[in-house]
Amino acid sequence: RLAGFDAMPVDVGAEIVMPENKKVEIALVLDYSGSMAEKLAGQVKYVAMKNAAKSLVNDLAGADPKKVKIGLVPFSHHVWTSLPAAQVLGAGGSGTWTGCTQDRPYPANLTDATPTAANATKWGQPQAPAHASSGCGSYVPNKLVVKPLSDDFGAINSQLDAMKPYAWTHIALGAEFGFHLLSPNAPFTEGAGYGDKKTQKYLVLLTDGMQTEPAFGPGGVRSVAQGEKNLTAVCANAKAQGITVIAIAYNIDDVDTVDRLKNCTTDPVTGFFDIGTDNKIAGAFDAIKGQIMAQIRIGK
C-alpha cells in the first residue's frame, strides 16, 4: 500500500532434486544350527526363515535386478566355503581350497583384511575340541555353502530351498564372513568399493540362539565368551565401513544375546527385530525389504 498497490500476486517456484538411484548389496547371514529345525507357532523355524528370505529376494529382484546383489552365509559351528589355497592354513599353492573353516585367529577374525602369508591371518584353523564330534561332514549334503554376492536370483532361491540345519552356533563366524562378502577386499571381490557412493551395503544377521562355539581371542585362547565379544567387534568394524547392519533375534530367551544383537545394528529402532513366540519372521523380512527398496526406488 505504501507504493499505491492494494495487492500483489506472488509466484513461488520450487525445484526438487532427488538423489541418484542407488544399488544395494546384501549379505544374508543365516543361522542353520540344529535348533532351527524346531517348530515355533506351528512352523519349522528354518522353513519360515527360508520363505521370508525368498520373498525378499524375489521382490528386490523384481524391483530392479540390475541394482541388486545378494550373498548367503549359512552358519552353524563352521562355515563351508571356497577360498584361495594360499589363504588357508596348511593348504598353500595357487589353487582353490574348499571345505569347513572356523574363525581366523584373533584379531584377524574381527576384520575384513585379506589374509597374508602369516598363519595367524588364515582360515582353516583346527576345530575347537568342544564340538569335534559334530565335525564337518554334513555341510555339503545339507547344502550349507557360502554364496558370494550375485545377481543370479534363481540360484540363490534354489540354495535357500535346499539348505538344512546342522549342529552348533558360531554367530561371530557368520558375521565375520558376512563382512567379507560385502568387503571389496579378497578373497571375495564381488562387492563395490567402500567409496562407491551409489552402493549401499547391508548385512542382515539372523540367529535363534546364543553363541555356543568357542572363538579365538588373545593368545590363541578360545571361549564362547570371546565369541560374544568378537561379534560386537565385527559389527562395529562393519558399521565403520558404512555397512548397514540389521539383526533378527529369532525366539531367543537369553537377554544378553538379544541386547548384543540389538547393539550390533546400525539403527536399533528400525534395524532390530525381536521375534518372540508368534513367529512373525515374514513381517521382519518385509520391513527389511521396505528399507532396502527405498534405496533402489528413488525417483529420477
Side-chain angles (χ1 to χ4, degrees):
R1 290 183 177 180
L2 292 173
F5 297 99
D6 290 328
M8 179 177 290
V10 177
D11 185 14
V12 177
E15 181 180 355
I16 300 174
V17 180
M18 301 297 289
E20 293 185 26
N21 287 359
K22 289 188 177 181
K23 298 179 180 180
V24 293
E25 297 173 351
I26 308 156
L28 296 179
V29 182
L30 306 178
D31 187 343
Y32 274 87
S33 60
S35 58
M36 286 293 291
E38 297 172 356
K39 284 190 175 182
L40 177 64
Q43 300 181 73
V44 177
K45 287 194 285 188
Y46 84 89
V47 175
M49 175 182 70
K50 170 198 74 174
N51 291 336
K54 286 181 64 178
S55 176
L56 179 145
V57 170
N58 291 333
D59 286 350
L60 289 176
D64 196 332
K66 295 180 181 179
K67 295 180 181 177
V68 181
K69 286 185 178 180
I70 298 174
L72 299 175
V73 181
F75 70 91
S76 52
H77 64 301
H78 284 101
V79 162
W80 179 282
T81 188
S82 293
L83 298 164
Q87 298 178 7
V88 178
L89 183 68
S94 58
T96 299
W97 173 93
T98 300
C100 279
T101 182
Q102 296 219 338
D103 53 323
R104 297 194 286 172
Y106 182 94
N109 54 358
L110 310 181
T111 78
D112 66 337
T114 302
T116 67
N119 286 341
T121 69
K122 296 182 178 183
W123 283 286
Q125 304 295 324
Q127 185 177 352
H131 302 138
S133 59
S134 296
C136 183
S138 292
Y139 283 84
V140 172
N142 286 23
K143 309 299 182 184
L144 300 177
V145 180
V146 169
K147 184 171 185 59
L149 292 174
S150 170
D151 58 5
D152 186 347
F153 305 112
I156 293 167
N157 280 331
S158 293
Q159 186 168 336
L160 285 166
D161 279 331
M163 292 190 292
K164 302 289 190 298
Y166 172 64
W168 303 85
T169 310
H170 199 332
I171 309 169
L173 175 63
E176 179 184 346
F177 268 89
F179 189 9
H180 279 279
L181 255 61
L182 294 168
S183 170
N185 301 333
F188 305 105
T189 57
E190 293 80 8
Y194 287 132
D196 184 346
K197 295 182 180 180
K198 291 186 178 181
T199 301
Q200 180 62 51
K201 298 171 183 282
Y202 293 87
L203 193 161
V204 180
L205 172 63
L206 180 151
T207 183
D208 78 330
M210 301 165 58
Q211 175 90 18
T212 58
E213 182 71 16
F216 279 110
V221 176
R222 283 169 156 170
S223 69
V224 169
Q226 185 64 47
E228 295 170 343
K229 293 178 182 178
N230 291 353
L231 174 62
T232 299
V234 170
C235 289
N237 290 337
K239 289 185 287 186
Q241 294 289 10
I243 295 172
T244 299
V245 179
I246 296 171
I248 302 173
Y250 195 7
N251 188 226
I252 299 176
D253 294 328
D254 183 69
V255 174
D256 289 340
T257 300
V258 172
D259 287 345
R260 189 173 303 110
L261 290 169
K262 186 174 184 179
N263 291 333
C264 261
T265 64
T266 300
D267 185 340
V269 176
T270 62
F272 176 68
F273 301 87
D274 188 2
I275 297 172
T277 58
D278 49 9
N279 205 0
K280 292 184 177 179
I281 185 75
F285 272 89
D286 279 343
I288 294 167
K289 177 173 57 184
Q291 292 180 38
I292 295 172
M293 288 182 74
Q295 292 291 332
I296 61 175
R297 280 191 160 175
I298 298 171
K300 297 180 181 178

